[in-house]
Amino acid sequence: MRSPVDGGNTVVGGVYLSVARGAFRRYSTYRAATVAGTVTNSVFGVILASTMLALWRARPGLGGYDAAQAVTYTWISQALLATVAVWGGGFQDDLQARFRSGDIAVDLYRPVDFQGWWLAADLGRAAFQLVTRGALPVLVGAALFDLALPGSPLVWAEFLLAVVLAVVVSFGLRFLASLTGFWLHESEGVRAVMTVVSMFFSGMLLPLALFPGLLGELARALPFSAMVQLPADVLLRRRTGTGLLALYGFQLGWAAALLALGRAGQALAVRRVVVQGG
Amino acid sequence: MVEPDGPAARAGWAVRSWWLIAGMWIRSTMAYRASFALSLAANTLVTFLDFAVLLLMFAHTRQLAGWTLAETGFLYGTSSAALGAANVLVGSVGGLGERVRSGSLDTMLIRPAPALAQLAAERFSLRRLGRLLQALAVLGWSLTALDVHWTWDRVLMVPVLLLCGTLIFCALFIGCSCVQFWWGEAAELQNSLTYGGATLLQYPPTVFARELVAGTVFGVPLAFVNWLPALHVLGRPDPLGLPAAFRFASPLAAALCLLAAGLAWRTGLRAYRSTGS
């Protein structure tokens, strides 16, 4: 028997592709959960879009957005919530369960790269959630509010690329949070802190343009902004031309840095792995 | 073990069961102290960041749909405190679906304690107090910042509002979770009414479309948690122009909600068929 690693890059690539496909299919079996999630995103979308409208009625043109753009921003952020896993979760849930059961030791001995395996699975999950919990709430939003969505397919393609990079950045952050499980045995607390920070600094709750002074600068420099604010910027055409390239560069830079950090952390963790359970 | 007789004894037994199980879970979370401290801090921060968003909005405007920051803070504090208290008491019922799927609800049904009390205390965690504490702090601040003529009926209204609001959210947690008897994975549906409802009530009713506000009075009775009584406390006109009696009807609404939740629970339990595993 040859292990997939011996088989060269094509086979390894095929493994990751089938892992991603498997994750996509797995999430698609949770039908009731998907419907419930889509409803929840839509409910929150209506509430938050209404508050945005109230704010923009008091302050038209705030942060360089008109009212329709501000409302659109809200719906895009709702669409990205599950896709980019701003709230945490996705592969993290599986990984956490494997820490608890001790199965994590088996994962480390698989002939496929540990980090790559989970990244592929998370991309598959994100693809499914972009289609369901991403697109459907935006349709609800478009039915109830005046949205400023672009007509050009090119802008949508640019947006899609930004979303893929957003998922990788988010994965990098969540992977680091999960790695603490090797030391803490329970990464629930770290995960909870991460949720708070991502919700706030990703632009999920409010466009980062509304953050004052130093707080705003900090928010725009942190990797979290790559998760919601930047894809929304692309769709609302706030960044075009070289500005768009700089945006992708920012996302790529953080993605590479976080993945490298995760890899280093993983190497450390493997050396001192303590397996729980029998 | 002998089942206690009479409704009062049964209720006492349910409360005692809840307390015993919650205590067990508290001891179990204390096994991972660092993780517990972090999640309590995070839980407190979650609520604070919610409020920070309000502060950021009011950094750009003095009034949101005609309401000041102090008035909005009163709505925020009451809504979040009621949700927080309900979450501490019965928030765990959302895990019902998983128990239905795995068949482990059976274990609860054969134990000599009420299944609802067991389920409500399941995985109980003290970190949930974070939300409640934060909300009460904001409420306390808003009470000092509000420009309200405090008559005795307004003063009395605040604790009554908190109690009724908590009961309404408890009923929503329990009632919505019953959907999972039939639809095991729909746990998140409950979030849209509980957490979504609480978020809705954090903002002035004038922010939202009239139809939506009417829905919280005559549909899912969220408006009775804080919007309607707050109109009396803050001396504000009703955007829907309802009779003044509605502002005092929260206890009635809470009682009806609990009744409906109880019926939903009994219906669900009767329809429950074990997976047999």
Side-chain angles (χ1 to χ4, degrees), chain B residues 2 21 33 49-50 68 70 81 88 96 104 112 117 122 127 134 139 164 170 179 186 243 254 260 263-264 267 275:
Chain B
V2 184
I21 299 164
R33 269 173 206 281
L49 286 186
D50 262 7
T68 64
V88 167
L96 174 66
S104 58
E122 177 81 359
R127 65 160 182 254
Q134 184 68 43
L139 179 60
C164 296
C170 282
V179 174
L263 277 176
T267 314
T275 54

Side-chain angles (χ1 to χ4, degrees), chain A residues 40 47 59 133 189 196 210, chain B residues 35 46 49 56 60 185 188 196:
Chain A
T40 307
I47 296 170
R59 286 287 312 275
R133 295 185 61 173
V196 177
L210 268 59
Chain B
S35 196
V46 167
L49 286 186
L56 281 175
H60 296 282
E185 309 152 23
E188 225 182 309

Side-chain angles (χ1 to χ4, degrees), chain A residues 3-18:
Chain A
S3 81
V5 179
D6 300 330
N9 286 329
T10 48
V11 178
V12 175
V15 169
Y16 291 131
L17 201 63
S18 65

Side-chain angles (χ1 to χ4, degrees), chain A residues 187-218:
Chain A
S187 52
E188 196 84 47
V190 176
R191 183 171 156 175
V193 172
M194 183 80 122
T195 300
V196 177
V197 178
S198 332
M199 286 295 281
F200 195 64
F201 285 113
S202 62
M204 182 70 219
L205 301 170
L206 214 56
L208 298 183
L210 268 59
F211 287 30
L214 216 60
L215 185 68
E217 275 170 47
L218 177 72

Side-chain angles (χ1 to χ4, degrees), chain A residues 113-131:
Chain A
D113 181 66
F114 182 72
Q115 191 188 33
W117 168 283
W118 290 110
L119 175 59
D122 206 51
L123 283 169
R125 171 204 62 80
F128 175 73
Q129 290 185 325
L130 183 66
V131 175

Side-chain angles (χ1 to χ4, degrees), chain B residues 74-164:
Chain B
F74 180 77
L75 292 180
Y76 174 92
T78 47
S79 153
S80 203
L83 177 79
N87 190 32
V88 167
L89 292 172
V90 301
S92 300
V93 292
L96 174 66
E98 213 174 305
R99 297 207 152 255
V100 169
R101 273 206 305 280
S102 69
S104 58
L105 187 64
D106 295 7
T107 330
M108 289 188 157
L109 294 175
I110 58 167
R111 279 189 205 136
L116 184 55
Q118 292 181 55
L119 197 63
E122 177 81 359
R123 296 208 153 269
F124 178 84
S125 169
L126 272 184
R127 65 160 182 254
R128 290 189 186 158
L129 287 175
R131 177 186 292 274
L132 181 57
L133 294 175
Q134 184 68 43
L136 289 176
V138 172
L139 179 60
W141 166 78
S142 82
L143 289 176
T144 61
L146 277 174
D147 186 21
V148 166
H149 176 59
W150 286 105
T151 52
W152 66 268
D153 52 315
R154 282 180 175 152
V155 173
L156 192 66
M157 197 113 183
V158 176
V160 172
L161 178 165
L162 286 176
L163 178 68
C164 296

Side-chain angles (χ1 to χ4, degrees), chain B residues 92-275:
Chain B
S92 300
V93 292
L96 174 66
E98 213 174 305
R99 297 207 152 255
V100 169
R101 273 206 305 280
S102 69
S104 58
L105 187 64
D106 295 7
T107 330
M108 289 188 157
L109 294 175
I110 58 167
R111 279 189 205 136
L116 184 55
Q118 292 181 55
L119 197 63
E122 177 81 359
R123 296 208 153 269
F124 178 84
S125 169
L126 272 184
R127 65 160 182 254
R128 290 189 186 158
L129 287 175
R131 177 186 292 274
L132 181 57
L133 294 175
Q134 184 68 43
L136 289 176
V138 172
L139 179 60
W141 166 78
S142 82
L143 289 176
T144 61
L146 277 174
D147 186 21
V148 166
H149 176 59
W150 286 105
T151 52
W152 66 268
D153 52 315
R154 282 180 175 152
V155 173
L156 192 66
M157 197 113 183
V158 176
V160 172
L161 178 165
L162 286 176
L163 178 68
C164 296
T166 302
L167 293 177
I168 292 173
F169 272 125
C170 282
L172 280 179
F173 267 112
I174 295 170
C176 297
S177 74
C178 292
V179 174
Q180 299 178 39
F181 274 118
W182 293 274
W183 224 22
E185 309 152 23
E188 225 182 309
L189 219 48
Q190 170 182 309
N191 292 353
S192 59
L193 278 182
T194 51
Y195 292 91
T199 307
L200 183 78
L201 299 175
Q202 285 169 5
Y203 293 92
T206 43
V207 161
F208 302 99
R210 279 176 59 94
E211 297 81 10
L212 185 59
V213 180
T216 64
V217 178
F218 301 106
V220 183
L222 285 165
F224 294 93
V225 170
N226 70 350
W227 273 352
L228 286 167
L231 295 176
H232 178 69
V233 174
L234 305 175
R236 282 197 152 265
D238 185 338
L240 292 181
L242 296 167
F246 275 85
R247 302 176 182 197
F248 301 95
S250 293
L252 182 67
L256 288 175
C257 284
L258 285 175
L259 196 70
L263 277 176
W265 174 258
R266 293 184 79 158
T267 314
L269 208 54
R270 235 172 252 148
Y272 171 68
R273 295 280 174 274
S274 169
T275 54

